[in-house]
């Protein structure tokens, strides 16, 4: 089992090495990087590249680790007992399997995505240590032990919003997705827009990297945002000349696809004003 990338996902060499190392070690792959650099999409493309089913567990601030194992619906059982329902004696009827249970019970190996683990409580990763290590867990209500029929390929993403516990980090293979160099980003763009003209792409990416490198930028635009920007540029049938600005500090055309807060818009407006003042 070896991940080589897919036609729809340009994976750098170090990322492919990380994926295959995690598979070989049978450890979760912990992927960090700027929002929009393709961490979640990586899991989908690993599943596609290895021809495996994908199970996605999207973590929220209210998510508890136990929900990934199962949930016991005690309220429904109590209501059914009051109504005299016959199934109330079957406690298993009130157990709802979670995403880990689904992955463990699958008849073939799967890719399990645990997405944005850093959104949850700090104890969330620690509460999954034993289950991810042993690939099993106990269901206390029924007394059964659920064991993985096939060890899933586990990919965990984090936006680095909070530090993860050392004990959890020790059990993962770690990879940080760096923002792609111009050549890699050009290849990514051509996957999505194969007919884009060379001059337009060169002009757009030059302007994009200049914007990303602007000192004081609060939120740098990501890969997904440059793809949105180029989609708008192509939809409007803009030329390379349309993208050029009067000043290197002026706001780019359709900047709402790239700049996502008022502080960064104000920054470019101030820089443009200072540039115009300097020339007058």
């Amino acid at each position: 089992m070896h991940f080589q990338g897919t036609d729809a996902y340009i994976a750098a060499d170090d990322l492919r090495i990380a994926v295959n190392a995690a598979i070989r070690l049978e450890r979760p792959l912990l992927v960090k990087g700027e929002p929009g650099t393709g961490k979640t999409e990586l899991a989908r493309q690993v599943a596609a590249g290895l021809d495996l089913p994908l199970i996605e567990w999207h973590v929220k601030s209210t998510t508890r680790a136990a929900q990934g194992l199962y949930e016991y619906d005690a309220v429904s059982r109590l209501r059914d007992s009051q109504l005299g329902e016959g199934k109330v004696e079957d406690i298993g009827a009130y157990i709802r399997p979670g995403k880990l249970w689904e992955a463990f019970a699958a008849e073939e190996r799967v890719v399990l995505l645990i997405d944005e683990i850093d959104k949850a409580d700090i104890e969330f990763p620690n509460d999954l240590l034993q289950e991810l290590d042993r690939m099993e867990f106990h269901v206390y209500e029924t007394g059964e032990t659920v064991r993985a029929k096939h060890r899933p390929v586990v990919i965990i993403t984090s936006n680095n919003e909070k530090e993860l516990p050392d004990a959890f980090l020790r059990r993962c293979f770690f990879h940080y997705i760096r923002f792609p160099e111009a050549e890699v980003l050009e290849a990514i763009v051509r996957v999505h827009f194969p007919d884009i003209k060379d001059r337009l792409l060169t002009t757009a990416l030059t302007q994009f990297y200049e914007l990303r490198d602007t000192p004081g930028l609060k939120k740098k635009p990501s890969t997904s945002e440059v793809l949105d920007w180029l989609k708008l540029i192509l939809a409007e049938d803009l030329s390379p000349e349309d993208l050029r600005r009067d000043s290197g500090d002026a706001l780019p055309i359709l900047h709402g696809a790239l700049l996502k807060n008022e502080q960064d818009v104000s920054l470019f407006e101030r820089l443009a004003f200072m540039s115009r003042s300097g020339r007058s």
Side-chain angles (χ1 to χ4, degrees):
M1 185 172 291
H2 194 77
F3 177 64
Q4 296 283 4
T6 70
D7 293 339
Y9 188 88
I10 303 298
D13 290 343
D14 59 344
L15 179 55
R16 290 197 298 269
I17 290 171
V19 171
N20 290 313
I23 293 173
R24 180 73 60 85
L25 292 172
E26 296 187 332
R27 289 188 178 274
L29 174 63
L30 174 61
V31 184
K32 291 187 179 182
E34 296 178 31
T37 50
K39 299 184 296 298
T40 301
E41 187 62 23
L42 171 65
R44 295 168 182 156
Q45 295 302 323
V46 168
L50 300 178
D51 195 23
L52 298 176
L54 174 67
I55 295 174
E56 301 186 30
W57 183 14
H58 298 285
V59 177
K60 302 178 181 179
S61 60
T62 56
T63 304
R64 295 176 291 106
Q67 291 173 307
L69 309 180
Y70 66 92
E71 292 186 271
Y72 169 49
D73 192 352
V75 174
S76 291
R77 191 178 184 216
L78 175 61
R79 184 183 63 245
D80 287 349
S81 68
Q82 293 170 338
L83 295 174
E85 293 284 346
K87 70 174 184 177
V88 73
E89 299 301 325
D90 178 15
I91 194 170
Y94 302 92
I95 300 291
R96 292 184 290 194
K99 295 297 184 180
L100 262 72
W101 189 330
E102 186 180 340
F104 287 2
E107 295 298 331
E108 60 180 314
R109 197 173 194 184
V110 303
V111 174
L112 172 63
L113 167 65
I114 304 177
D115 196 32
E116 297 189 328
I117 194 172
D118 53 326
K119 278 188 175 179
D121 183 86
I122 190 62
E123 291 304 318
F124 182 95
N126 279 335
D127 291 342
L128 291 177
L129 288 180
Q130 179 171 312
E131 289 75 14
L132 292 177
D133 254 358
R134 299 184 181 180
M135 286 288 145
E136 66 178 36
F137 61 89
H138 189 69
V139 183
Y140 295 98
E141 289 79 4
T142 63
E144 66 180 305
T145 297
V146 178
R147 294 185 177 88
K149 294 181 179 179
H150 306 277
R151 179 179 284 269
V153 177
V154 181
I155 297 178
I156 302 171
T157 72
S158 169
N159 286 326
N160 227 8
E161 292 182 8
K162 61 170 69 83
E163 288 296 324
L164 299 174
D166 289 344
F168 179 79
L169 295 175
R170 284 197 301 271
R171 289 165 169 81
C172 298
F173 189 93
F174 173 76
H175 183 75
Y176 184 86
I177 299 182
R178 293 179 175 82
F179 193 81
E181 300 291 336
E183 295 79 9
V184 177
L185 184 56
E186 180 177 338
I188 293 171
V189 170
R190 290 194 182 279
V191 167
H192 293 268
F193 309 111
D195 298 327
I196 191 170
K197 298 294 195 305
D198 290 345
R199 281 186 62 238
L200 180 62
L201 179 56
T202 299
T203 301
L205 291 188
T206 298
Q207 193 171 121
F208 172 74
Y209 276 102
E210 287 174 354
L211 185 148
R212 258 189 69 89
D213 293 339
T214 301
L217 204 61
K218 182 177 181 181
K219 201 278 183 199
K220 293 184 177 183
S222 66
T223 308
S224 63
E225 286 154 346
V226 73
L227 291 175
D228 286 346
W229 186 51
L230 287 167
K231 184 177 181 179
L232 291 173
I233 289 171
L234 292 171
E236 295 292 332
D237 197 22
L238 301 178
S239 69
E241 289 71 29
D242 293 326
L243 300 188
R244 294 200 175 98
R245 297 171 289 174
D246 294 333
S247 164
D249 295 324
L251 280 165
I253 194 168
L254 299 168
H255 64 270
L258 300 174
L259 302 176
K260 297 306 177 78
N261 59 69
E262 62 276 16
Q263 295 96 320
D264 287 341
V265 173
S266 297
L267 170 65
F268 275 85
E269 289 173 342
R270 290 196 305 272
L271 292 173
F273 175 78
M274 291 167 61
S275 178
R276 290 192 296 270
S277 299
R279 292 198 306 268
S280 60

